[in-house]
Amino acid sequence: MSDILKLVGARIKDLRKLRGLSQEALAEKAGFNISYIGFIERAERNISMRNLGKIASALDVGVYELFTYLKEQEELPEESTLKEVVSMLRERDPKDIEMVRNILIEIFQRMDGNSKKG
């Protein structure tokens, strides 16, 4: 599987979930068969520029937003812990990601509070 297909598929899945859409609902909005959306999200099929445009429109985003993971991936150091964390989060449900975010906020607030006391 190509990395670009994985990244674009993951981004489509994340955007779909953020909008509260099922694969079936996105497929209907974009004019595709439900199985096609699943294939794209799992990076099992290549996708044409025309179909990317249809999916972006159905998700109410610009086509460029389907490629934002690519830029993020390039900016991270090759062997970084942050890159590993981003990869793990990419596979998670948006609710799980929100929970991780809240935990990090709490940890950082405690750390900041402890450093001000010392």
Side-chain angles (χ1 to χ4, degrees), residues 82-100:
L82 184 56
K83 196 171 197 173
E84 182 181 354
V85 170
V86 169
S87 292
M88 287 189 306
L89 290 173
R90 190 172 290 131
E91 302 295 322
R92 304 305 302 191
D93 184 86
K95 290 179 183 177
D96 292 343
I97 295 168
E98 182 68 20
M99 182 178 63
V100 170

Side-chain angles (χ1 to χ4, degrees), residues 7 14 39-40 42 48 58 78 81:
L7 292 169
D14 287 349
F39 289 139
I40 297 304
R42 292 186 304 273
S48 71
E78 190 56 39
T81 302

Side-chain angles (χ1 to χ4, degrees), residues 41-53:
E41 289 183 358
R42 292 186 304 273
E44 294 173 354
R45 293 270 172 90
N46 203 350
I47 184 169
S48 71
M49 294 303 289
R50 179 176 292 140
N51 289 349
L52 275 176

Side-chain angles (χ1 to χ4, degrees), residues 11-12 14 19 32 36-37 81 83 87 105 107 116:
R11 181 68 173 156
I12 289 169
D14 287 349
R19 282 155 181 73
F32 298 121
Y36 182 70
I37 297 298
T81 302
K83 196 171 197 173
S87 292
I105 289 170
I107 290 169
K116 291 178 185 174

